[in-house]
């Protein structure tokens, strides 16, 4: 009797690891200094390779890359972007702005949709977000404890992770994404061990999020987590809320986490109209400037990358010359205010109603499809994926009221929209 030895099967890595590589690069420290609005960084270069890999893989497999619905939803922003690019101050500025928007809202999301094969790949990406958040959060907590973070009210205690003071929202954004993913995974129907691990990560990420002193990230995270809990079921929402309250009491009361600065920052959320600080005054002034630009150019806006050129003509004298940044390995510098710090107003001012309707229409379509898919899998095995996909989109849409794209962490937003698009356009139908 003879036995035929079967050849060893080659190890096939999931294509979604290409998207994970973008997150891995974001874990590396950035060079101190530089401009927060600078051009492409290492993560952007990797994202370009991911887009190329996804395209080559689709050609090699000789299959239709995207469904008709996915192509329409993801391609909607192209029309407004093209028109706004033609209105830019120079061809170079137009191409740069067009490339950035296409990267964040069209190309990288489409690549992620092509590379994620099933819910297992989706969960791999979700856990990668959690892992990146834990790493950045650990770096941020060390900065807070040792006084080596970015400057906040004269003290070097603001947690910024590896992003530095030029992208002061970078760590807060990463940690928020990780917390939303962890909560979604904890509320799913996966094995108990995975749910417990995700819950522990979610609770642990509350600390670095707090010491990021980012009011916008706090608001977006609280609202998103509340929506996730409600969508997961009232009984589970009450249980998780009780655990979160108990953990907060222990951390604040038992360990003394909650300094006077943190309490002051928290209370300032309700004082933005009564006694606003200079950062809030600047934001209101920039919002008014963006609205003024739109009134003069309501349909197509002032053109891509043109907000800084039109800013002073529409801003009042209350606008400061820039925000002061230092610490976390970087020297003091005055960072110019080159955007309205509101994604909707940035699009409205530079792309007009045409661009805003195209972008917002794409996001609304993703939200509707994602929520419809969540309703379909309620109580089923895909609930965690639904909560992660819908949660990430809700967080981003809320945060866009306080922030816009720009800085090294922007490429993370592109991956997030890819994760959201996969669930809304592919995963919800599985």
């Amino acid at each position: 009797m003879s036995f035929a030895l079967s050849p060893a099967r080659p190890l096939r890595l999931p294509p979604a690891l290409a998207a994970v590589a973008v997150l891995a690069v974001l874990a590396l420290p950035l060079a101190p200094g530089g401009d927060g609005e600078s051009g492409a960084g290492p993560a952007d270069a990797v994202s370009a390779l991911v887009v190329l890999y996804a395209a080559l893989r689709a050609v090699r497999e000789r299959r239709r890359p995207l469904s008709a619905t996915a192509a329409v939803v993801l391609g909607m922003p192209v029309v407004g972007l093209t028109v706004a690019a033609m209105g830019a101050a120079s061809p170079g500025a137009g191409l740069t702005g067009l490339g950035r928007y296409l990267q964040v809202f069209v190309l990288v999301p489409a690549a992620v949709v092509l590379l994620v094969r099933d819910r297992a790949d989706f969960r791999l990406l979700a856990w990668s977000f959690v892992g990146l958040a834990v790493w950045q959060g650990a770096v941020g907590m060390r900065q807070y404890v040792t006084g080596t973070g970015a400057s906040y009210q004269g003290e070097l205690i603001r947690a910024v992770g590896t992003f530095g003071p030029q992208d002061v929202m970078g760590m807060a954004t990463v940690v928020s994404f990780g917390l939303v993913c962890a909560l979604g995974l904890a509320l799913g129907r996966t094995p108990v061990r995975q749910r417990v691990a995700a819950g522990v990560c979610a609770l642990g990420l509350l600390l670095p999020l707090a010491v990021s002193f980012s009011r916008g990230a706090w608001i977006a995270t609280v609202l998103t987590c509340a929506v996730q809990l409600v969508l997961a079921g009232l009984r589970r929402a009450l249980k998780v809320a009780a655990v979160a309250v108990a953990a907060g009491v222990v951390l604040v009361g038992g360990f003394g986490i909650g300094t006077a600065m943190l309490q002051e920052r928290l209370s300032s959320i309700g004082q933005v109209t009564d006694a606003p600080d200079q950062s809030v005054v600047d934001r209101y002034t920039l919002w008014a400037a963006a609205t003024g630009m739109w009134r003069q150019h309501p349909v197509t806006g002032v053109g891509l990358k043109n907000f800084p050129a039109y800013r002073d003509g529409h801003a009042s004298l209350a606008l400061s010359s820039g925000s002061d940044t230092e610490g976390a390995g970087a020297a003091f510098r005055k960072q110019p205010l080159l955007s309205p710090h509101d994604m909707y107003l940035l699009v409205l001012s530079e792309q007009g109603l045409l661009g805003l309707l195209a972008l917002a229409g794409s996001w609304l379509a993703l939200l509707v499809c994602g929520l419809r898919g969540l309703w379909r899998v309620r109580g089923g095995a895909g609930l965690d994926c639904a909560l992660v996909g819908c949660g990430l989109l809700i967080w981003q849409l809320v945060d866009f009221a306080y922030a816009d794209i720009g800085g090294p962490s922007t490429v993370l937003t592109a991956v997030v929209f890819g994760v959201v698009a996969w669930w809304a356009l592919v995963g919800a139908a599985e």
Side-chain angles (χ1 to χ4, degrees):
M1 183 181 294
S2 61
F3 297 92
L5 297 178
S6 60
R9 292 183 178 180
L11 178 63
R12 290 190 175 183
L13 299 177
L17 284 177
V20 174
V22 178
L23 306 187
V25 174
L26 286 172
L28 302 177
L30 298 172
D35 191 348
E37 299 292 332
S38 59
D44 296 289
V46 174
S47 73
L49 294 177
V50 170
V51 172
L52 179 61
Y53 170 64
L56 292 176
R57 189 168 178 271
V59 171
R60 185 184 63 184
E61 294 181 354
R62 297 179 180 179
R63 62 183 178 87
R64 186 176 182 177
L66 298 171
S67 66
T69 301
V72 171
V73 172
L74 292 176
M76 284 175 63
V78 175
V79 177
L81 290 171
T82 304
V83 174
M86 293 188 292
S90 66
L95 289 176
T96 300
L98 179 63
R100 189 59 155 171
Y101 275 95
L102 290 178
Q103 173 203 18
V104 176
F105 300 114
V106 180
L107 297 178
V108 173
V112 174
V113 171
L114 293 174
L115 295 176
V116 175
R117 301 169 301 180
D118 49 32
R119 291 175 182 173
D121 285 357
F122 184 95
R123 293 186 180 101
L124 172 64
L125 264 176
W127 277 108
S128 299
F129 274 102
V130 176
L132 176 62
V134 169
W135 163 248
Q136 291 288 353
V139 175
M141 285 303 301
R142 181 180 179 276
Q143 292 170 337
Y144 174 75
V145 172
T146 60
T148 56
S151 177
Y152 178 75
Q153 294 188 2
E155 297 187 36
L156 302 179
I157 59 171
R158 187 168 192 175
V160 291
T162 64
F163 293 98
Q166 288 75 32
D167 190 8
V168 74
M169 288 288 296
M171 190 213 74
T173 300
V174 170
V175 171
S176 298
F177 286 151
L179 200 157
V180 170
C181 288
L183 183 59
L185 293 167
L187 294 172
R189 305 293 180 182
T190 52
V192 176
R193 184 177 300 178
Q194 295 184 28
R195 280 183 280 156
V196 171
V200 171
C201 290
L203 289 175
L205 289 172
L206 291 173
L207 298 179
L209 180 62
V211 296
S212 70
F213 295 99
S214 172
R215 291 173 293 199
W218 292 348
I219 294 172
T221 303
V222 169
L223 291 177
T224 301
C225 291
V227 172
Q228 285 180 300
L229 290 171
V230 171
L231 292 175
L234 183 59
R235 181 178 300 178
R236 305 184 74 192
L238 293 175
K239 290 181 180 179
V240 175
V243 172
V245 170
V249 171
V250 171
L251 292 174
V252 176
F255 296 100
I257 297 174
T259 63
M261 286 185 178
L262 185 58
Q263 295 172 7
E264 179 185 349
R265 187 71 165 176
L266 186 62
S267 63
S268 69
I269 294 176
Q271 300 172 353
V272 292
T273 56
D274 299 331
D277 55 32
Q278 185 58 48
S279 65
V280 175
V281 172
D282 286 340
R283 186 157 301 190
Y284 285 163
T285 305
L286 291 169
W287 289 356
T291 305
M293 296 178 200
W294 168 68
R295 288 197 182 101
Q296 286 192 354
H297 304 83
V299 179
T300 58
V302 297
L304 289 182
K305 309 288 284 186
N306 274 354
F307 181 88
Y310 284 79
R311 181 198 62 188
D312 293 342
H314 293 83
S316 69
L317 296 177
L319 183 66
S320 66
S321 58
S323 58
D324 299 337
T325 62
E326 66 176 324
F332 173 85
R333 70 185 298 269
K334 183 75 73 173
Q335 188 165 344
L337 303 174
L338 302 177
S339 71
H341 296 287
D342 181 305
M343 190 65 201
Y344 304 106
L345 290 179
L346 176 63
V347 174
L348 191 64
S349 62
E350 292 190 342
Q351 302 178 41
L353 279 175
L354 179 63
L356 182 62
L357 290 176
L359 264 174
S362 175
W363 301 338
L364 181 60
L366 291 177
L367 182 61
V368 171
C369 292
L371 289 174
R372 185 175 59 186
L374 187 148
W375 184 261
R376 188 180 297 125
V377 301
R378 287 193 72 181
L383 179 61
D384 57 332
C385 298
L387 292 173
V388 169
C390 294
L392 288 174
L393 181 57
I394 291 171
W395 189 95
Q396 193 65 77
L397 294 181
V398 174
D399 184 70
F400 272 164
Y402 307 95
D404 48 47
I405 58 174
S409 61
T410 297
V411 69
L412 188 67
T413 302
V415 179
V416 162
F417 272 101
V419 171
V420 169
W422 184 87
W423 168 253
L425 303 172
V426 181
E430 288 188 353

